[in-house]
Amino acid sequence: MDDSRFNDIFNGDCDGNYDNVMNRIVDHINYPSCEGSGASFSGAGDDSDGNDADDSNDDSDDDGDDDSDDEDEFILMTHFDMKKLIICTAGAINMCYINYMYKEPCMVSYNTGMRWLTEVLRGHWKRSVNMFRMDATTLLSLCTELETHHGLKPSRRMSVIEKVAMFLFTIAVGASNRQVQERFQHSGETISRCFKEVLKSLRLFAVEVIKPVDPQFTSIPREIAMNPRFMPHFKNCVGAIDGTHVRACIPSANQIPYIGRKGVPTQNVMAACSFDMQFMFVWAGWEGSAHDTRIFLEAIDNSNIKFPKPPEGKYYLVDAGYPNEYGYLGPYKGERYHFQEFRRRGQPSGRKEVFNRAHSSLRNVIERSFGVWKQRWKILQNMPAYPYKTQVEIVVASMALHNYIRRRSQDDEVFSEYDRNPNLIPDDFLPDIVQVSAVQGSQRPSRMDFVRDGIANSLMEQ
């Protein structure tokens, strides 16, 4: 359309700048009579020469001309308004796209996550262990397991192995979302989504992995059968039970129930393990102030928890903080117990101390298992601000991975170090700031008292 007001918008010098065009459109909408060539809707019938000769025309001619001018002006305004509407709509759509839909690529490094991952897995075996806490063979086997049996699927632009690698990298080195973005060259939203997908798959995986290898406990554990210090005295022992604390990230207003003897917000985790340092049971998510005895009694009394109870005549080893229930053998209270006490104050004297030292040496497998587990996954030392449910699921998932590595990687460095040093008990990352003492003399007599006395007498006869 050949209209001066329409042409004013585009024929001026706008420097090819979109913003200048949009500003001029706004000006024409708000001030239609003050722009460009001075063309105005109100002056369309003026005579530029100032000649009054037409004043002598009759009234009918003037009326006809005015009607014709008004009609032309209406058509012109209608077309002009349609053009303005189209331009403004197109501009608004473009601005919406630029501001809210278009995303300028950020992660554009040549060394993409998959390229780096391939380099690590094809390189020296220790690189994979350093980054993912397992060798390449174990990692590939884990990916196959999760994809085949536990619902983890590749996406259009990402393989299962890259998703699993991102998850393992996060919990192994305690990496933040931004650090994972930079390492794998994906957006934060993609990293978060894949983390949740792998965690969901590992929840299902944990059900299959965290359980006794021999659910009926029919055989004597090899670690007992092959060690004359414990055989035949502890031949009916099936494992050890204890609790541990993992750092929790809790909003300030809700922290009080989670602050217990560690002095910082934690979740209390009860676990049972076999003598080859595999977890057979885990119950995570309890507040840090919850007492180990409360968690223990709830676990063995609540049938919904599905705790693997020992059959008749079998038992777990527990420390002095647990009640002397049948099927759970604790030490003699009031006597030396821990290995460090015997090292400082000499050899045990009397049958009670002899029993306590043997009991401590065998039961420390649970503390050693906690040590291997926490040493491997740095995220447990400083949990990020995930929802609390996610923090609990990370604990369970990392324990499942602990078991899987134990079963699949016979040459794992961390497990090998602890196997070579049976008395190696690492210091806890969260030492107690409030000493928790066991209740003395408040428990009723138990059948386990006779079991303990019989083992003590047997050890003295050795």
Side-chain angles (χ1 to χ4, degrees):
M1 168 178 284
D2 185 15
D3 182 79
S4 59
R5 285 162 293 188
F6 181 80
N7 293 333
D8 282 342
I9 298 174
F10 298 100
N11 291 343
D13 184 12
C14 295
D15 299 327
N17 191 318
Y18 168 78
D19 291 335
N20 290 342
V21 174
M22 291 303 299
N23 290 337
R24 185 160 296 186
I25 290 173
V26 172
D27 289 342
H28 272 265
I29 293 172
N30 294 330
Y31 313 106
S33 61
C34 303
E35 290 289 332
S37 63
S40 170
F41 293 127
S42 60
D46 291 345
D47 186 11
S48 60
D49 296 334
N51 192 339
D52 294 335
D54 291 339
D55 292 345
S56 62
N57 292 338
D58 54 49
D59 293 339
S60 62
D61 291 341
D62 290 341
D63 292 341
D65 291 342
D66 289 343
D67 291 342
S68 177
D69 290 344
D70 289 343
E71 183 177 352
D72 291 342
E73 182 177 345
F74 176 76
I75 296 174
L76 177 64
M77 291 176 62
T78 301
H79 282 284
F80 185 66
D81 288 344
M82 290 179 62
K83 291 291 185 179
K84 287 196 297 184
L85 179 61
I86 293 172
I87 294 171
C88 292
T89 302
I93 293 174
N94 187 51
M95 292 176 67
C96 179
Y97 175 77
I98 292 295
N99 293 332
Y100 302 106
M101 299 177 64
Y102 174 74
K103 296 181 180 179
E104 182 180 358
C106 176
M107 302 302 170
V108 294
S109 172
Y110 170 80
N111 192 23
T112 62
M114 194 61 202
R115 184 173 283 112
W116 172 76
L117 176 59
T118 302
E119 177 187 326
V120 170
L121 296 182
R122 290 180 177 176
H124 194 278
W125 65 269
K126 198 164 188 177
R127 293 186 66 187
S128 179
V129 172
N130 289 339
M131 293 295 98
F132 312 120
R133 300 301 188 260
M134 60 183 72
D135 58 60
T137 303
T138 304
L139 174 56
L140 295 174
S141 174
L142 173 65
C143 294
T144 301
E145 181 77 19
L146 295 179
E147 183 175 7
T148 305
H149 302 292
H150 302 289
L152 184 61
K153 300 300 180 184
S155 59
R156 185 163 58 92
R157 297 184 178 180
M158 192 180 303
S159 64
V160 165
I161 187 172
E162 188 173 3
K163 291 183 178 182
V164 174
M166 287 194 299
F167 181 90
L168 294 176
F169 181 77
T170 301
I171 68 171
V173 304
S176 66
N177 185 285
R178 290 183 179 180
Q179 291 171 326
V180 181
Q181 288 181 47
E182 183 60 32
R183 177 64 280 172
F184 285 87
Q185 293 294 298
H186 291 295
S187 69
E189 187 275 334
T190 300
I191 299 296
S192 179
R193 184 181 67 253
C194 292
F195 186 91
K196 293 176 182 177
E197 290 177 5
V198 177
L199 185 59
K200 179 181 179 181
S201 180
L202 285 172
R203 289 203 311 266
L204 303 176
F205 179 68
V207 176
E208 302 296 327
V209 176
I210 303 178
K211 63 181 182 181
V213 177
D214 178 14
Q216 303 302 319
F217 301 110
T218 55
S219 60
I220 300 174
R222 182 178 61 86
E223 292 76 13
I224 293 177
M226 301 297 292
N227 193 328
R229 292 181 60 196
F230 306 127
M231 186 67 188
H233 321 292
F234 292 94
K235 65 181 180 180
N236 293 322
C237 187
V238 298
I241 296 174
D242 203 358
T244 189
H245 287 255
V246 174
R247 193 73 178 262
C249 188
I250 306 295
S252 300
N254 304 324
Q255 285 186 358
I256 292 179
Y258 296 88
I259 300 178
R261 68 176 189 259
K262 302 298 182 180
V264 295
T266 62
Q267 57 168 302
N268 197 343
V269 182
M270 173 187 165
C273 77
S274 61
F275 292 106
D276 64 345
M277 292 192 284
Q278 289 192 53
F279 294 111
M280 299 187 295
F281 172 81
V282 57
W283 196 7
W286 283 83
E287 302 91 338
S289 61
H291 197 279
D292 289 349
T293 301
R294 175 191 172 192
I295 304 173
F296 169 74
L297 292 175
E298 180 71 16
I300 65 175
D301 293 338
N302 191 337
S303 59
N304 294 327
I305 303 303
K306 298 182 180 179
F307 177 78
K309 295 182 179 181
E312 182 70 24
K314 304 282 187 174
Y315 54 85
Y316 286 97
L317 298 180
V318 296
D319 66 16
Y322 289 91
N324 203 24
E325 298 283 334
Y326 182 72
Y328 307 93
L329 181 63
Y332 288 104
K333 297 181 180 181
E335 306 288 341
R336 286 188 294 170
Y337 179 69
H338 293 289
F339 176 76
Q340 294 84 350
E341 295 177 290
F342 293 108
R343 187 168 56 183
R344 288 195 303 265
R345 296 164 53 190
Q347 295 297 313
S349 59
R351 68 186 187 93
K352 291 185 177 181
E353 286 194 353
V354 169
F355 171 85
N356 278 7
R357 186 175 69 168
H359 183 284
S360 176
S361 297
L362 192 55
R363 193 198 68 85
N364 72 16
V365 66
I366 184 67
E367 298 175 1
R368 288 152 52 79
S369 298
F370 287 146
V372 173
W373 169 58
K374 291 183 178 181
Q375 181 179 335
R376 190 182 302 277
W377 310 115
K378 299 301 182 186
I379 196 173
L380 302 174
Q381 302 175 26
N382 189 20
M383 187 68 71
Y386 296 117
Y388 187 67
K389 181 181 178 182
T390 301
Q391 298 180 43
V392 175
E393 292 173 349
I394 289 173
V395 168
V396 177
S398 61
M399 285 183 159
L401 293 170
H402 167 101
N403 281 9
Y404 190 76
I405 294 171
R406 182 59 161 171
R407 297 176 187 179
R408 300 288 302 191
S409 183
Q410 301 300 321
D411 299 323
D412 180 77
E413 281 190 323
V414 183
F415 278 119
S416 297
E417 179 184 4
Y418 280 78
D419 288 338
R420 290 192 300 267
N421 300 281
N423 293 320
L424 176 60
I425 303 176
D427 295 330
D428 197 337
F429 293 113
L430 293 172
D432 293 348
I433 64 171
V434 177
Q435 188 65 33
V436 178
S437 58
V439 179
Q440 300 288 336
S442 61
Q443 299 181 10
R444 66 182 186 277
S446 168
R447 293 168 59 186
M448 296 308 295
D449 294 337
F450 299 102
V451 174
R452 181 171 56 203
D453 290 341
I455 295 175
N457 293 331
S458 175
L459 287 168
M460 292 296 293
E461 295 172 359
Q462 187 175 12

